[in-house]
Amino acid sequence: LATEAGARLGCEVVQGYGMTELSPVTHLTPPGGYKPGSVGVTVPNTELQIVAADGESLGIDADGEVWVRGPQVMKGYLNNPEATANTIDEDGWLHTGDIGHVDADGHLYVVDRLKELIKYKGFQVPPAELEDLLLTHPAVADVAVIGIPDEEAGELPKAFVVASPQISDQELLEFVAERVSPQKRVRLIERVDEIPKSPSGKI
């Protein structure tokens, strides 16, 4: 989307990364150094680590939770020490709740939210990955993927799609199945007129 928007506007469309608790950024795109899909590199005086569910710090290109530490990290949530302790550990690392990885050049790629991961038969399935894939289909205008309860699998990936009536649900299911591993396949599709979003564009 950034590449297409940049071509249409005749400029470079770049990204940054931050959150209210990080007042406000930890990553920015360096001038002329944009990589499609990246939110940029770690800003000065700031540390980053990608951490697995077991607390192990991960290496290059491995997906895990994004942890950051630096002078811009908040002191805590006002009058809520429990919430603060759940977000910032004893060593000062803020656990963002975002899933991402870092490439060999130090660029961060945020791929999903920890809370939104779909648990399919013990596998973790990122909804954003499936949304991004479905959006590459020319008949799909918008999409949102969620996990729905299933007795056997735990959760099944379901896609809500805004798409041309000329494409069938089965064709969309096969489009995804041909491009992902078996556990990441979308199992159900529901047609909608639009995807509800916040003013900032969050589903």
Side-chain angles (χ1 to χ4, degrees), residues 35 50 58-64 100-107 109 111:
K35 290 188 175 188
I50 305 297
L58 301 172
I60 300 300
D61 295 328
D63 283 340
H101 61 266
V102 177
D103 68 13
D105 297 321
H107 280 253
Y109 297 79
V111 298

Side-chain angles (χ1 to χ4, degrees), residues 97-119:
D98 285 324
I99 301 295
H101 61 266
V102 177
D103 68 13
D105 297 321
H107 280 253
L108 174 63
Y109 297 79
V110 179
V111 298
D112 223 311
R113 286 287 295 164
L114 189 59
K115 292 177 182 176
E116 293 170 5
L117 288 176
I118 299 167
K119 310 294 194 306

Side-chain angles (χ1 to χ4, degrees), residues 65-113:
E65 186 178 9
V66 178
W67 290 13
V68 292
R69 182 166 65 182
Q72 71 276 62
V73 172
M74 68 169 183
K75 291 182 179 297
Y77 296 108
L78 183 65
N79 301 326
N80 197 337
E82 183 180 351
T84 300
N86 289 334
T87 304
I88 304 173
D89 64 28
E90 294 177 353
D91 295 321
W93 289 101
L94 185 140
H95 302 199
T96 66
D98 285 324
I99 301 295
H101 61 266
V102 177
D103 68 13
D105 297 321
H107 280 253
L108 174 63
Y109 297 79
V110 179
V111 298
D112 223 311
R113 286 287 295 164

Side-chain angles (χ1 to χ4, degrees), residues 144-157:
V145 175
I146 66 166
I148 61 166
D150 180 76
E151 193 170 330
E152 180 189 349
E155 288 183 307
L156 294 176

Side-chain angles (χ1 to χ4, degrees), residues 114-130:
L114 189 59
K115 292 177 182 176
E116 293 170 5
L117 288 176
I118 299 167
K119 310 294 194 306
Y120 174 81
K121 294 186 176 180
F123 292 97
Q124 293 186 335
V125 180
E129 180 181 339
L130 298 174

